[in-house]
Every structure is written in structure tokens, then in C-alpha cells.
Amino acid sequence: MAAAGDGPWLDDAAGRLVRPFTVSNGRTEPSIALDLMSQVMATGVTPLGYLGPEHAQALDLCRAPVSVAEVAAQLELPAVVTKVLLSDLVDCGALTTKPPVYHHTPTDRSLLEAVLDGLRRQL
């Protein structure tokens, strides 16, 4: 039974009826490197040619700068599928990207110790 407004692609009990990789035509590699924290934003350029409904939804979500992870969460698609969709939109000029800015290296000892201390206080 389809939920109201969702059309035939969603089912209350089963969830998404179309496999996520169908959305990207089976592609698993985006044409550009995107990090989950990369920022994407619509350029205002209208994509030429046919793009699927998920492309249109992703483009709509990118009216303001948003992370790739947030777009994936909003579309309820795996990150790799979302990256393929977003790279399609970048390729046609409809989106621009900005790499993430990390203020700390992932192995910054003081940052890791602060996180550990915070976790210990919560327990």
C-alpha cells in the first residue's frame, strides 16, 4: 500500500520499492571525488537533458550550501548513490562543490582525548 503522495515507489510496510542503485543506473563511482562533508550548492543553471526525479530532489535540496551527507539523509539513499547523483549535477553545471575544511587532523591527539574525556563523563 503506497503512502499518500509517495506514488508507487514507496510502500508503508516494505519501504522503497526501487533498489537504490537503480536510481544511479547501477553506477557506483561518481565522476568527481566527493567527501561526505563536501558542500554542494545549486548554481542556477538548468540541467540539459533528462535527469531522474532523484536528481531534481537533490538539486532542490541544494538551493543553499549543504553537505553531501545531509543530501543523502534527506533523499534516504546510500551515500555512494547520492554521490553519483550529485556528480551528475556537477558535470552538467547545475551544482558547484566546495571541499570540506578540517580544523583538526583526524588523529589530533588533543581532540581525541577531549572526546574520550567527554564520553567518560557521560558514563
Side-chain angles (χ1 to χ4, degrees), residues 15-102:
R16 182 180 285 273
L17 297 177
V18 174
R19 295 282 185 208
F21 289 98
T22 303
V23 171
S24 63
N25 293 324
R27 294 174 293 145
T28 59
E29 292 292 325
S31 60
I32 61 169
L34 289 170
D35 186 277
L36 286 176
M37 297 307 295
S38 295
Q39 297 287 303
V40 289
M41 184 173 167
T43 62
V45 172
T46 303
L48 297 175
Y50 174 76
L51 293 176
E54 288 81 5
H55 285 93
Q57 290 172 328
L59 189 56
D60 188 51
L61 292 170
C62 298
R63 286 179 278 160
V66 63
S67 71
V68 171
E70 181 64 25
V71 175
Q74 292 293 323
L75 294 177
E76 297 180 353
L77 288 172
V80 68
V81 174
T82 302
K83 288 179 181 183
V84 171
L85 295 176
L86 294 174
S87 71
D88 290 346
L89 292 167
V90 169
D91 291 344
C92 71
L95 284 184
T96 186
T97 66
K98 182 178 175 187
V101 177
Y102 295 106

